[in-house]
Amino acid sequence: MLASMSSRRLLIAAGLALFGWTLAPVAPAAADPAAFIQEVSSKAITEMAPAAQETDQQRAIKLKPLMEQYFDMPAIARYMLGSYWPKATPEEQAEFTAVLTDFLALAYGKRFATYTGHEMNIGRVRDEGDRRSVVFSTVKLPNGEPARVDWTIDQVGDAYKIADVKVEGLSLAATHRQEFASVISRNGGSVSALIDMLKQKLGS
Amino acid sequence: MPNRNSRLRVALIAAAMGLSALAAGCATKPDPADEAAVQAYQEANDPLEPMNRYFFEVNQFLDEVLLKPFAGWYHVALPDPAEDGVRNFLRNLKSPVILANDMFQGEWSRAGTTVARFFINSTIGVGGLVDVASMMDMNYHEEDFGQTLAVYGAGEGPYLHLPILGSGNPRDYSGRLVDYALDPLTWVGYAYNVSEINTARAGLEALDTRARNLEAIDELKRGSVDFYATVRSLYRQHRDDLIRNGESEQQASQEMITDEMIPEDGGTSVDLKAAQSDDQITVAE
């Protein structure tokens, strides 16, 4: 009835995006994109280990610094606003970027517990040029089926940052971009209307 | 399905109301001077949005009152291995249609897998209940005529959300009709006057898929600021992924270097790579 398979996979994406699997510990300094993804996931395992009686908000608070460290939030925010980014005032742009980080941390933080303890295999890395590469990996889901997870990694300065995560072809960035564009256009092109809605979700 | 008749009646009423919604007009086109709005409109590729949203709401309602409760009971009543058995059985039934489309697309190795899976699972796998073939590294894959049309270069057309049937577009809906005609079970149903088996099968498929996604859909709905737009986007990305048989689209992503993300100041302070993110929604065609 819904795009059910798809939605399930997005959720898995979400869980995985937020690194809920087990990996052998690796050297701290990421020499290449694949090593970077290993570093991110092993860090996430220690930082995001589920505690008893945790609320969604508490998990979001744990996740947020990891997102700020490993995800290219400014670029993700720009991409998700799409053609509305240049239309937004600098204040709106800044506020959107800040609210978006909280929104994603809340949305994906609570899914962590479900997706811990999976085995991830890092496959090939494809150089996309222009300091961007895609790291392909597969994760074994609890039901035993492997899921494809593709990481889009940008080199920003001398650090690697995640720009997008795709699970089974479903892109986190593209999905939210479409969703946000729809909200903005239904509110007469108002970016602040979207910001208000995201804040509402954070409050609830 | 015991509720088949009431479902049908609801669907008919909904269809009638939807047609009047359609008659009432399509989505308002954006002001051509407003570039951002025009671009968002094109990216959404949903000129019938008001009607689609209406049907989406109808389907959401049907889901809440019928499918979701049934799926919930089904999920609780059946132990997981039994649920997997049902899915394996349903997947095995699809083999002839998958095989036909593998061949239409010239995917001979995948066609071979489909044949082998069918024989292994129908015999050793007890009539398809156990997916023995996947334990031998012959994994299930989907193919349908909508994908075949896409491989032959047919565009998807605008998004279309229909009562009961849900997300789609002209290409995929035409494909579903062809698949229905390609399916031997369709003709068995007609020839022996037991077309109920096809209805039962469709109902069971809906139930199985829904039961597997109870939590996922709830969470997605809760977390979303525009659930309709989220579902629309996921549908397209999922179809696109199936069409490419899960291969990543290097060429497509390279074609996606657009200037849409460059702000009016020329982008002096902006990382242009953001503009090239793999936006497979717009590159599908």
Side-chain angles (χ1 to χ4, degrees), chain A residues 103 174-184 194 198, chain B residues 220 223-227 229-230 232-233:
Chain A
F103 174 74
T175 307
H176 285 300
R177 174 181 160 114
Q178 291 287 310
E179 180 189 13
F180 295 162
S182 177
V183 170
I184 296 172
L194 171 66
L198 293 177
Chain B
L220 199 63
S224 175
V225 285
D226 188 336
F227 190 45
T230 303
R232 181 178 66 196
S233 170

Side-chain angles (χ1 to χ4, degrees), chain A residues 8-55:
Chain A
R8 174 169 151 257
R9 284 182 169 146
L10 185 81
L11 282 190
I12 296 168
L16 299 171
L18 303 168
F19 2 85
W21 51 77
T22 332
L23 263 191
V26 284
D32 58 68
F36 167 68
I37 287 302
Q38 297 230 336
E39 180 198 320
V40 172
S41 51
S42 54
K43 181 82 185 272
I45 286 161
T46 40
E47 302 284 311
M48 290 299 295
Q53 303 284 316
E54 242 178 342
T55 64

Side-chain angles (χ1 to χ4, degrees), chain A residues 33-121:
Chain A
F36 167 68
I37 287 302
Q38 297 230 336
E39 180 198 320
V40 172
S41 51
S42 54
K43 181 82 185 272
I45 286 161
T46 40
E47 302 284 311
M48 290 299 295
Q53 303 284 316
E54 242 178 342
T55 64
D56 294 346
Q57 267 72 18
Q58 285 169 322
R59 295 201 68 75
I61 290 167
K62 276 189 183 175
L63 178 57
K64 194 181 168 188
L66 292 176
M67 292 189 62
E68 282 169 337
Q69 185 181 353
Y70 292 120
F71 283 70
D72 192 356
M73 287 315 296
I76 290 172
R78 268 198 307 280
Y79 178 75
M80 285 188 183
L81 268 199
S83 52
Y84 292 108
W85 178 266
K87 299 272 168 190
T89 64
E91 294 76 39
E92 283 173 335
Q93 292 176 348
E95 195 181 7
F96 173 73
T97 310
V99 173
L100 177 70
T101 313
D102 286 325
F103 174 74
L104 295 177
L106 182 66
Y108 297 113
K110 62 179 156 192
R111 286 164 200 161
F112 256 74
T114 329
Y115 296 103
T116 45
H118 303 319
E119 206 182 297
M120 181 168 88
N121 289 305

Side-chain angles (χ1 to χ4, degrees), chain B residues 227-284:
Chain B
F227 190 45
Y228 169 83
T230 303
V231 169
R232 181 178 66 196
S233 170
L234 289 175
Y235 174 75
R236 284 194 178 130
Q237 294 185 64
H238 178 56
R239 291 298 296 172
D240 207 43
D241 186 62
L242 287 176
I243 290 161
R244 284 183 279 100
N245 293 343
E247 317 257 324
S248 51
E249 74 295 18
Q250 182 157 37
Q251 283 181 321
S253 75
Q254 281 174 352
E255 282 161 14
M256 263 309 286
I257 301 168
T258 65
D259 56 1
E260 63 179 85
M261 297 296 306
I262 305 173
E264 276 148 358
D265 66 8
T268 42
S269 62
V270 168
D271 171 13
L272 297 183
K273 276 178 294 190
Q276 303 165 23
S277 255
D278 310 328
D279 187 347
Q280 63 280 71
I281 293 171
T282 48
V283 298

Side-chain angles (χ1 to χ4, degrees), chain B residues 74-98:
Chain B
Y74 173 86
H75 190 58
V76 170
L78 244 59
D80 284 356
E83 228 173 274
D84 287 346
V86 170
R87 185 181 55 175
N88 292 338
F89 180 73
L90 290 169
R91 282 179 167 183
N92 199 45
L93 285 185
K94 284 191 200 162
S95 300
V97 172
I98 295 172

Side-chain angles (χ1 to χ4, degrees), chain B residues 4-241:
Chain B
R4 191 176 136 217
N5 286 329
S6 57
R7 257 174 81 162
L8 199 65
R9 206 173 310 128
V10 175
L12 285 176
I13 298 169
M17 291 171 77
L19 285 178
S20 41
L22 180 60
C26 307
T28 348
K29 284 205 172 128
D31 176 6
D34 185 350
E35 277 174 50
V38 170
Q39 199 179 339
Y41 181 82
Q42 285 171 347
E43 216 171 292
N45 186 17
D46 191 1
L48 300 177
E49 187 170 334
M51 182 193 78
N52 286 337
R53 274 192 191 264
Y54 174 78
F55 284 146
F56 183 75
E57 290 305 320
V58 170
N59 283 343
Q60 287 292 293
F61 172 75
L62 291 177
D63 180 61
E64 283 298 327
V65 300
L66 282 173
L67 189 57
K68 191 175 150 188
F70 271 109
W73 298 331
Y74 173 86
H75 190 58
V76 170
L78 244 59
D80 284 356
E83 228 173 274
D84 287 346
V86 170
R87 185 181 55 175
N88 292 338
F89 180 73
L90 290 169
R91 282 179 167 183
N92 199 45
L93 285 185
K94 284 191 200 162
S95 300
V97 172
I98 295 172
L99 174 64
N101 285 295
D102 281 336
M103 295 197 292
F104 290 154
Q105 295 173 32
E107 296 273 1
W108 301 109
S109 142
R110 279 161 69 99
T113 306
T114 306
V115 172
R117 280 181 54 85
F118 183 71
F119 282 108
I120 293 169
N121 287 345
S122 302
T123 53
I124 312 174
V126 202
L129 288 171
V130 186
D131 190 353
V132 183
S134 75
M135 298 165 201
M136 301 155 99
D137 271 338
M138 285 183 274
N139 289 321
Y140 174 77
H141 66 264
E142 283 177 49
E143 277 305 346
D144 54 61
F145 202 73
Q147 296 181 48
T148 301
L149 288 172
V151 168
Y152 279 89
E156 60 176 340
Y159 182 69
L160 208 53
H161 197 98
L162 298 181
I164 309 288
L165 299 172
S167 289
N169 54 50
R171 180 194 64 203
D172 293 345
Y173 276 125
S174 326
R176 283 209 215 176
L177 280 176
V178 174
D179 289 333
Y180 185 68
L182 281 174
D183 198 325
L185 267 189
T186 304
W187 304 106
V188 170
Y190 284 125
Y192 296 93
N193 217 4
V194 283
S195 49
E196 289 81 6
I197 55 169
N198 288 306
T199 316
R201 175 189 174 191
L204 196 56
E205 262 171 12
L207 202 60
D208 172 67
T209 313
R210 189 65 180 88
R212 284 172 188 280
N213 294 286
L214 286 168
E215 273 177 47
I217 291 174
D218 275 356
E219 277 191 23
L220 199 63
K221 207 189 277 192
R222 253 204 320 274
S224 175
V225 285
D226 188 336
F227 190 45
Y228 169 83
T230 303
V231 169
R232 181 178 66 196
S233 170
L234 289 175
Y235 174 75
R236 284 194 178 130
Q237 294 185 64
H238 178 56
R239 291 298 296 172
D240 207 43
D241 186 62

